[in-house]
Amino acid sequence: MKFALATANKGKIEEMRNILSSLGIEVVTRDELDIDIEIEETGTTFAENARLKAIAICKLSNMPSIADDSGLVVDALNGEPGVYTSSYGGENLTAKERYEYLLENMKNMEQKSAKFVCNIVCVFPSGKELIATGECNGSIATIPIGESGFGYDPIFIPDGYKKTMAELSSDEKNAISHRGKALNNFVELLRLSKASGECV
Ligand code: ITT
């Protein structure tokens, strides 16, 4: 079975494709399907937004569709930017400008703890839905370091590491990341639902 990926974010697409192919799941992207639409993320939770994206792409592709909604939850900022991570600091900023804005807001905060959260929702043409989550705990760095990954990786230090997510190789990141965990959980659910004879 082939799955459509509902994300338009190139960093996510690369990671999702690598992780899912290592788990035996083949995916096609929106670009490959020639689907060019803006999906409004009007939900107030990661799960709601992932569901909106998966439903939209499932309708257009008529394929089982996997959506990722994710973000950075910072304790000292009362959970911000959370579901608004992709637009934190305003519209039309670069990824670098967004994490610089976050670093500025964290400048005088002693508490640096944070986590990346990922919700994966898969919607099937039958209407069946699977949802899986993953989290990666860590802390916010004082200065950005590293070139790998995307988004806020240069300012996020995973627990147990002395380097940022952007200093890890893609395999190292995928093994511990919120997305890696959520996708592993999703594939486990998919296998269970197939094994139990549920029609997907
Ligand atoms: P799609 O909706 O098309 O999937 P998006 O970038 O808008 O792409 P989200 O609404 O889920 O996706 O926004 C999540 C943001 O959180 C994303 O833009 C990144 O800035 C950040 N983010 C999520 N996962 C990340 C990761 O692994 N490393 C760094 N930043 C991440």
Side-chain angles (χ1 to χ4, degrees), residues 6-10 12 15-16 30 39 41 46 49 53 67-72 82-87 95 98 116-118 149-154 156 165 173 177-179:
T7 183
N9 178 316
K10 292 206 163 45
K12 283 190 193 180
E15 290 181 8
M16 292 174 82
R30 284 169 48 164
I39 304 168
E41 298 186 30
F46 294 113
N49 283 334
K53 293 186 260 191
D68 165 309
D69 201 69
S70 44
L72 191 55
V83 288
Y84 306 107
T85 301
S86 64
S87 56
R98 289 192 203 288
F116 268 126
V117 176
C118 175
F150 69 99
Y152 295 77
D153 282 341
F156 184 82
M165 202 80 125
K173 177 181 173 182
S177 78
H178 48 313
R179 184 162 299 104

Side-chain angles (χ1 to χ4, degrees), residues 1-4 6 25 47 50-51 53-55 58 63-68 119-125 127-132 183 186-187 189-190 200:
M1 191 187 294
K2 243 191 204 177
F3 292 78
I25 306 274
R51 194 165 171 269
K53 293 186 260 191
I55 288 174
C58 181
M63 294 172 71
S65 301
I66 301 172
D68 165 309
N119 275 220
I120 295 291
V121 171
C122 180
V123 172
F124 294 82
K128 185 183 165 70
E129 296 180 10
L130 294 176
I131 174 160
L183 286 171
F186 159 66
V187 172
L189 282 181
L190 184 66
V200 291

